[in-house]
Amino acid sequence: MTTTSQNLLQPRVRFAPSPTGYLHVGGARTALFNWLFARHFGGTLVLRIEDTDLERSTPEMVEGILQGMRWLGLNWDEGPFFQTQRMEMYRAAAAQLVLSGHAYSCFCSKEELERRRQAAAAEGRPPKYEGTCRRIAREEAERRKAAGEPAAVRFAVPDSGSTSFDDAVFGKVEFANSELEDFVLLRSDGVPTYHLSVVTDDIDMRMTHIVRGADHISNTPKQVLLYQALGAPLPVFAHVPLILGPDKTRLSKRHGATSVMAYRDEGIVPEAFRNFLSLLGWTPPAGTPEVLGDAELVRLFGLDGISKSNAVFDRAKLDWFNTEYIRAYPAEKLWPLIQEEWTKAGVVPERTDEVWLFSTIDLLKPRARNLKDFATSFRAFFTDHYETDPAAAEKFLKDPALRQMLVELAGRYAALSEFSEAETEKVLRDFAAEKNMKAGALINGSRVALTGQGVAPSLFAVMVSLGKEKTVARLQKAGG
RNA sequence: GGCGCUAUCGUCUAGGGGUUAGGACGGAAGAUUCUCAAUCUUCAAACACGGGUUCGAUUCCCGUUAGCGCUACCA
């Protein structure tokens, strides 16, 4: 039997990244699915850092991954555990496997192995390890090791038969054992490889479900063999389809931002990112809307909704989710996120009273595409230190006569006692009629003069938000 | 190359032996005229191919093709 009954009431899952790079989109999605699964069932999410690749793992990347997890809002319940701090356990497991006859010492050097692989490739043979050292008697192997000869430990894969498992997403997957080679468990320097450390840890940490990328499907039979050799019950495997770039090849640097932190830098709201990511490879029950906040996601998530085919990362849709969240968020929720953008962009808001701030944010948010807009195109609402978009000025503010009109209009506004939307509009329209010019020209010109942008909310709402003093000053400034 | 997995609009997908094959993003057109990056309306857009099974396949089976994954003393 390849599966065992699992307790869905208290599932234990893990996210196990390797700190050889930042937290990328694919890893983030895997982390999210594990998080959703754990939260849905009230289970436990363990964070485990798989740093057994001593060459490529770095502390900076560990920090980068934790930072990514925090930005994504994916909290874990146990860990982070580091495999490099659990070396003794893997060595003990390897020793146990040698003792039970499931593994053996291999004295072939890396160079020798590489040479044989080349030769096999040249002859068109599969580059599989032939099991040379499997024939060395245990006593002799012990003697050679004692003499100081470096040795790795390999798993002795059965020569015949097959190994299968029931994947929660893909169903039954079966591999002929003859396709599997005697893979290395322990390197000659005593450091475990992936297969050994992952299985040892998953057993030790009592994982009930292994939710990971589909790129691990081919690795799974080796791990199943290890579970069996170690006498441990199998967890439920759930492989999730991969995320591809727009050209349908695996998502990589060539496709632009693959680090999740790049999305923070681009002004993406974490919850929007989670929503978008959740729908890459998973579909909620039929009839459910696509905009799903965390609570809904947690409530609806399940392994049965995971699809089998790879998904393309669609940036345009991410942006759409982002605008949906920015619009839906109340100003007070947007406020701290906006402050971060201001800090990054060096914007120092001139007014900080919440009533004004929140109403201005509410005025702006329907037109925001990302959080950065509040520090860039909306900048003029919060500070006098802003640039005017040359294209907008060219389009709406080019005419010198119009600019003079704006100065004159400023005078009318200066005399206004009630600075409301209705009043400011009336003043402008009366002025336009009096001067026999189109109100639209005045409105568009004023918009650029007031906001530095060609696109902004309704002009009179803008004026009220800015207040009389700024409106007058900026209109006057437009004159020259 | 070998092994494994996958295949519905451009993208994410629903569906399922008989449907006008549904939705969302994106796209196009129009409306609005106070801009559009807002809003509203409308439209275009898909079952990879070939064999079966069947009264009937997009759906089930086989094959082909394509894509992806694995094939390390990486994870």
Short mmCIF file of all heavy atoms in Angstrom, two decimals, chain A residues 53-77:
data_model
loop_
_atom_site.label_atom_id
_atom_site.label_comp_id
_atom_site.label_asym_id
_atom_site.label_seq_id
_atom_site.Cartn_x
_atom_site.Cartn_y
_atom_site.Cartn_z
N ASP A 53 23.06 22.04 0.73
CA ASP A 53 23.97 22.33 -0.36
C ASP A 53 24.89 23.42 0.19
O ASP A 53 24.60 24.61 0.09
CB ASP A 53 23.23 22.84 -1.59
CG ASP A 53 24.17 23.10 -2.76
OD1 ASP A 53 25.39 23.20 -2.52
OD2 ASP A 53 23.69 23.19 -3.90
N LEU A 54 25.97 22.98 0.81
CA LEU A 54 26.88 23.90 1.49
C LEU A 54 27.50 24.92 0.54
O LEU A 54 27.83 26.04 0.94
CB LEU A 54 27.99 23.12 2.19
CG LEU A 54 27.72 22.62 3.61
CD1 LEU A 54 26.27 22.54 3.98
CD2 LEU A 54 28.43 21.30 3.87
N GLU A 55 27.67 24.53 -0.70
CA GLU A 55 28.29 25.42 -1.67
C GLU A 55 27.42 26.63 -1.97
O GLU A 55 27.90 27.74 -2.05
CB GLU A 55 28.51 24.69 -3.01
CG GLU A 55 29.08 23.30 -2.89
CD GLU A 55 30.59 23.33 -2.81
OE1 GLU A 55 31.21 23.37 -3.86
OE2 GLU A 55 31.11 23.33 -1.66
N ARG A 56 26.16 26.36 -2.17
CA ARG A 56 25.29 27.43 -2.67
C ARG A 56 24.41 28.12 -1.65
O ARG A 56 23.84 29.17 -1.93
CB ARG A 56 24.43 26.88 -3.81
CG ARG A 56 25.27 26.34 -4.98
CD ARG A 56 24.43 26.08 -6.21
NE ARG A 56 23.37 25.10 -5.96
CZ ARG A 56 22.16 25.16 -6.48
NH1 ARG A 56 21.85 26.15 -7.28
NH2 ARG A 56 21.27 24.24 -6.18
N SER A 57 24.24 27.50 -0.49
CA SER A 57 23.36 28.11 0.51
C SER A 57 24.07 29.27 1.21
O SER A 57 25.25 29.17 1.53
CB SER A 57 22.97 27.08 1.56
OG SER A 57 22.26 26.03 0.96
N THR A 58 23.31 30.36 1.42
CA THR A 58 23.91 31.48 2.15
C THR A 58 22.93 32.03 3.18
O THR A 58 21.72 31.94 3.00
CB THR A 58 24.28 32.64 1.20
OG1 THR A 58 23.06 33.24 0.71
CG2 THR A 58 25.12 32.18 0.02
N PRO A 59 23.48 32.60 4.25
CA PRO A 59 22.64 33.20 5.30
C PRO A 59 21.81 34.34 4.74
O PRO A 59 20.68 34.57 5.17
CB PRO A 59 23.65 33.74 6.32
CG PRO A 59 24.92 33.00 6.04
CD PRO A 59 24.91 32.68 4.58
N GLU A 60 22.35 35.04 3.76
CA GLU A 60 21.61 36.16 3.16
C GLU A 60 20.33 35.66 2.52
O GLU A 60 19.28 36.29 2.61
CB GLU A 60 22.45 36.86 2.08
CG GLU A 60 23.64 37.64 2.60
CD GLU A 60 24.77 36.72 3.06
OE1 GLU A 60 24.96 35.65 2.44
OE2 GLU A 60 25.42 37.05 4.06
N MET A 61 20.43 34.50 1.87
CA MET A 61 19.25 33.96 1.20
C MET A 61 18.23 33.47 2.23
O MET A 61 17.03 33.54 1.99
CB MET A 61 19.66 32.83 0.26
CG MET A 61 20.39 33.33 -0.97
SD MET A 61 19.39 34.52 -1.89
CE MET A 61 20.50 35.88 -2.07
N VAL A 62 18.73 32.96 3.35
CA VAL A 62 17.80 32.54 4.42
C VAL A 62 17.01 33.76 4.85
O VAL A 62 15.77 33.74 4.92
CB VAL A 62 18.56 31.98 5.64
CG1 VAL A 62 17.60 31.76 6.80
CG2 VAL A 62 19.27 30.67 5.27
N GLU A 63 17.71 34.86 5.06
CA GLU A 63 17.05 36.09 5.49
C GLU A 63 16.09 36.56 4.39
O GLU A 63 14.97 37.00 4.67
CB GLU A 63 18.10 37.17 5.80
CG GLU A 63 17.54 38.38 6.51
CD GLU A 63 16.47 38.05 7.56
OE1 GLU A 63 16.72 37.22 8.46
OE2 GLU A 63 15.36 38.60 7.44
N GLY A 64 16.52 36.43 3.15
CA GLY A 64 15.68 36.84 2.03
C GLY A 64 14.38 36.05 1.98
O GLY A 64 13.32 36.60 1.70
N ILE A 65 14.48 34.78 2.24
CA ILE A 65 13.28 33.92 2.22
C ILE A 65 12.34 34.29 3.37
O ILE A 65 11.13 34.41 3.18
CB ILE A 65 13.68 32.44 2.27
CG1 ILE A 65 14.30 32.03 0.93
CG2 ILE A 65 12.48 31.57 2.61
CD1 ILE A 65 15.00 30.70 0.93
N LEU A 66 12.93 34.49 4.55
CA LEU A 66 12.09 34.86 5.70
C LEU A 66 11.41 36.19 5.45
O LEU A 66 10.24 36.38 5.77
CB LEU A 66 12.95 34.95 6.97
CG LEU A 66 13.63 33.65 7.41
CD1 LEU A 66 14.38 33.87 8.73
CD2 LEU A 66 12.62 32.53 7.58
N GLN A 67 12.15 37.09 4.84
CA GLN A 67 11.59 38.41 4.52
C GLN A 67 10.42 38.26 3.54
O GLN A 67 9.38 38.89 3.70
CB GLN A 67 12.71 39.24 3.89
CG GLN A 67 12.39 40.71 3.75
CD GLN A 67 13.47 41.45 2.96
OE1 GLN A 67 14.23 40.84 2.19
NE2 GLN A 67 13.53 42.75 3.15
N GLY A 68 10.61 37.41 2.55
CA GLY A 68 9.55 37.17 1.58
C GLY A 68 8.32 36.58 2.24
O GLY A 68 7.19 36.98 1.97
N MET A 69 8.53 35.63 3.13
CA MET A 69 7.42 35.00 3.84
C MET A 69 6.68 36.04 4.68
O MET A 69 5.44 36.05 4.71
CB MET A 69 7.95 33.90 4.78
CG MET A 69 8.52 32.68 4.07
SD MET A 69 7.25 31.64 3.33
CE MET A 69 6.59 30.80 4.78
N ARG A 70 7.43 36.89 5.31
CA ARG A 70 6.79 37.91 6.16
C ARG A 70 6.01 38.90 5.32
O ARG A 70 4.89 39.27 5.67
CB ARG A 70 7.85 38.63 7.01
CG ARG A 70 8.32 37.79 8.19
CD ARG A 70 9.14 38.63 9.17
NE ARG A 70 10.43 38.98 8.60
CZ ARG A 70 11.57 38.36 8.86
NH1 ARG A 70 11.59 37.36 9.72
NH2 ARG A 70 12.69 38.73 8.29
N TRP A 71 6.59 39.32 4.21
CA TRP A 71 5.85 40.27 3.37
C TRP A 71 4.57 39.62 2.86
O TRP A 71 3.50 40.24 2.81
CB TRP A 71 6.70 40.72 2.17
CG TRP A 71 5.89 41.62 1.27
CD1 TRP A 71 5.48 42.89 1.57
CD2 TRP A 71 5.35 41.29 -0.01
NE1 TRP A 71 4.70 43.37 0.53
CE2 TRP A 71 4.61 42.42 -0.45
CE3 TRP A 71 5.41 40.17 -0.84
CZ2 TRP A 71 3.94 42.46 -1.67
CZ3 TRP A 71 4.74 40.20 -2.05
CH2 TRP A 71 4.03 41.34 -2.46
N LEU A 72 4.67 38.35 2.51
CA LEU A 72 3.50 37.65 2.01
C LEU A 72 2.48 37.37 3.12
O LEU A 72 1.36 36.96 2.86
CB LEU A 72 3.92 36.31 1.40
CG LEU A 72 4.17 36.30 -0.10
CD1 LEU A 72 4.66 34.93 -0.52
CD2 LEU A 72 2.90 36.65 -0.85
N GLY A 73 2.91 37.56 4.32
CA GLY A 73 2.00 37.33 5.44
C GLY A 73 1.77 35.85 5.72
O GLY A 73 0.73 35.47 6.25
N LEU A 74 2.74 35.03 5.36
CA LEU A 74 2.59 33.59 5.59
C LEU A 74 3.33 33.22 6.88
O LEU A 74 4.54 33.00 6.88
CB LEU A 74 3.16 32.81 4.40
CG LEU A 74 2.52 33.17 3.05
CD1 LEU A 74 3.13 32.34 1.94
CD2 LEU A 74 1.01 32.94 3.11
N ASN A 75 2.59 33.17 7.95
CA ASN A 75 3.20 32.84 9.23
C ASN A 75 3.28 31.33 9.42
O ASN A 75 2.40 30.60 8.99
CB ASN A 75 2.40 33.48 10.36
CG ASN A 75 0.93 33.08 10.31
OD1 ASN A 75 0.36 32.98 9.23
ND2 ASN A 75 0.33 32.82 11.44
N TRP A 76 4.34 30.88 10.02
CA TRP A 76 4.50 29.45 10.24
C TRP A 76 4.41 29.16 11.73
O TRP A 76 4.56 30.06 12.56
CB TRP A 76 5.83 28.97 9.65
CG TRP A 76 7.02 29.74 10.13
CD1 TRP A 76 7.82 29.41 11.20
CD2 TRP A 76 7.56 30.95 9.59
NE1 TRP A 76 8.81 30.35 11.35
CE2 TRP A 76 8.68 31.29 10.39
CE3 TRP A 76 7.21 31.77 8.52
CZ2 TRP A 76 9.46 32.45 10.14
CZ3 TRP A 76 7.98 32.92 8.28
CH2 TRP A 76 9.09 33.24 9.08
N ASP A 77 4.15 27.90 12.06
CA ASP A 77 3.92 27.54 13.45
C ASP A 77 5.15 26.96 14.14
O ASP A 77 5.30 27.05 15.35
CB ASP A 77 2.77 26.54 13.54
CG ASP A 77 1.52 27.05 12.82
OD1 ASP A 77 1.02 28.12 13.22
OD2 ASP A 77 1.08 26.41 11.85
#
